[in-house]
Amino acid sequence: MIDDDSEIIESILSGDPSGYEVIIKKYQARIISLCYRYTKNYHDAEEVAQESFLRAYKSLGKFRYDSKFYSWLHRISVNCSLNYINSKEKLKEKETISDNIGLNMQEDSTSLETPYNAYNMEDIAEKIGKLYENLPDDLKLMIKYRDIDDMTYDEIASKAKLPIGTVRSRLHRARDILLREIETNTEDE
Amino acid sequence: MNKNIKDIENKGLLKAFLRNEYPRYMSKDFSEKVMIDIYSQKTNNPTKTYLIRVASALVFGIFTLALMDNMLSEDIQYTRTDINTEMSAPSRNVSNQIEECKKVNDKEPASDIIECK
């Protein structure tokens, strides 16, 4: 299977670990979000995600391209999250003093303030959501096919009955609008 | 930051937002933290670790040998006395409690016989 990340993976395996930063930046939000579903805690989610990326890096040589890299990374993250839960469960068993000490499976709802040096993703997501809804239908459809449904350019062209060049240019225009918004919200201070 | 990497990061974020797969917060330096971990592990190369292990095993072995050699070469002083000779066999019906013995009828003993309780 041809993977978008195969080139980066090959460069990492040939001894240049710097390419791995691209992989991390590409998938960090989705992986942290996945880990958050298990940990229910912002801080722990990042720690488990960090462990997942690290484990994936160490096992990169075992990646056989029989699935997409993201699916493989997703599996590793689920395993890391389950390990986290198991270790917390064991810790909870040892705790006898109070039910509140130990496993914190309560949703992290008390910390409404954005932690220091972190992006408030909900704020950005809201802005992106509004922009996406206001996109012209033809552009919105391209975004849906490519970024949500994960279709290839050929598949989109065939489904929308458009030349592949038109698909590319529409997608570029649509993404440009949305990415500009993300850029303004994630600019380094 | 390299513009290309920033573009990739933003595209990743866009995908996460559109798919509703984003955390509430995300550290700005998340990727840097992971890369620091990766580089720190890379510097701890396995050959170096192996050599350190072999060296510590050698040091431990030499130390143990030196210690054993020192213990075994110490002069042991043997006594010439036979342990059996120091043991006195207990005699039957003999009491060592001399204080308990009294002279019969408070008289001068006719003989040297002392009656014991």
Side-chain angles (χ1 to χ4, degrees):
Chain A
M1 181 181 280
I2 297 164
D3 195 287
D4 296 344
D5 304 312
S6 56
E7 213 174 294
I8 304 169
I9 293 166
E10 289 307 318
S11 82
I12 298 163
L13 289 174
S14 59
D16 175 24
S18 65
Y20 199 63
E21 194 170 2
V22 176
I23 301 269
I24 300 166
K25 289 210 178 274
K26 197 171 173 181
Y27 300 121
Q28 55 185 355
R30 291 168 75 190
I31 293 297
I32 296 169
S33 165
L34 171 72
C35 297
Y36 182 81
R37 273 190 252 158
Y38 291 88
T39 61
K40 305 287 178 205
N41 174 293
Y42 155 76
H43 181 75
D44 290 354
E46 282 210 355
E47 247 179 50
V48 177
Q50 195 168 335
E51 169 67 23
S52 309
F53 276 111
L54 208 64
R55 206 181 279 186
Y57 176 80
K58 285 182 194 164
S59 326
L60 209 56
K62 292 177 193 162
F63 178 57
R64 292 279 166 258
Y65 298 97
D66 48 6
S67 63
K68 283 201 164 190
F69 176 77
Y70 179 71
S71 312
W72 185 72
L73 181 62
H74 185 281
R75 275 202 301 277
I76 291 174
S77 307
V78 169
N79 286 338
C80 286
S81 303
L82 291 174
N83 286 346
Y84 162 86
I85 287 179
N86 285 340
S87 65
K88 283 280 180 180
E89 286 284 354
K90 277 178 192 164
L91 194 74
K92 195 189 174 190
E93 278 169 22
K94 285 177 188 169
E95 292 287 352
T96 51
I97 302 160
S98 165
D99 288 340
N100 297 326
I101 302 169
L103 182 60
N104 181 14
M105 294 303 282
Q106 296 289 307
E107 186 145 354
D108 209 3
S109 54
T110 47
S111 51
L112 291 171
E113 246 179 64
T114 310
Y116 171 73
N117 204 30
Y119 296 122
N120 187 330
M121 301 288 275
E122 280 187 337
D123 268 5
I124 309 171
E126 202 183 323
K127 289 173 189 169
I128 295 297
K130 278 180 189 163
L131 268 178
Y132 174 71
E133 288 305 320
N134 292 327
L135 280 177
D137 284 346
D138 55 340
L139 300 189
K140 205 196 282 184
L141 198 64
M142 294 301 116
I143 288 281
K144 184 192 174 299
Y145 286 155
R146 181 71 182 146
D147 290 330
I148 301 175
D149 299 341
D150 246 350
M151 288 165 72
T152 63
Y153 287 106
D154 286 334
E155 286 168 338
I156 299 169
S158 137
K159 187 154 186 170
K161 295 184 177 74
L162 287 169
I164 203 158
T166 313
V167 170
R168 281 182 189 277
S169 72
R170 281 185 189 177
L171 193 64
H172 185 266
R173 269 162 55 209
R175 273 181 178 167
D176 205 38
I177 296 165
L178 302 174
L179 287 172
R180 234 180 293 149
E181 184 61 35
I182 293 178
E183 208 172 325
T184 11
N185 283 278
T186 58
E187 266 172 356
D188 296 328
E189 284 125 33
Chain B
M1 189 194 291
N2 185 322
K3 190 163 187 323
N4 194 30
I5 295 183
K6 186 73 187 161
D7 281 350
I8 290 167
E9 180 179 14
N10 289 346
K11 277 181 188 167
L13 291 178
L14 176 63
K15 212 164 190 170
F17 291 135
L18 292 168
R19 288 166 176 247
N20 217 15
E21 290 177 18
Y22 58 90
R24 187 188 294 167
Y25 310 112
M26 192 179 78
S27 288
K28 292 178 182 176
D29 58 351
F30 177 79
S31 61
E32 282 83 356
K33 282 192 264 184
V34 183
M35 287 312 286
I36 287 168
D37 263 7
I38 286 170
Y39 282 122
S40 70
Q41 292 202 355
K42 203 175 158 62
T43 48
N44 296 338
N45 67 61
T47 322
K48 197 175 164 187
T49 317
Y50 177 75
L51 283 173
I52 290 170
R53 278 183 190 171
V54 170
S56 17
L58 275 172
V59 168
F60 177 75
I62 291 165
F63 177 76
T64 316
L65 276 172
L67 195 73
M68 283 174 74
D69 183 53
N70 189 38
M71 280 169 73
L72 292 171
S73 65
E74 266 178 19
D75 292 333
I76 299 166
Q77 300 290 326
Y78 294 105
T79 54
R80 289 189 180 183
T81 40
D82 187 356
I83 293 166
N84 289 332
T85 57
E86 285 181 355
M87 288 175 72
S88 55
S91 53
R92 209 175 167 191
N93 296 328
V94 172
S95 171
N96 290 325
Q97 294 170 316
I98 301 162
E99 291 80 18
E100 296 290 322
C101 300
K102 284 180 183 175
K103 289 174 184 176
V104 179
N105 296 328
D106 202 21
K107 289 176 187 171
E108 282 294 316
S111 65
D112 284 329
I113 299 164
I114 296 170
E115 198 174 290
C116 292
K117 278 185 181 176

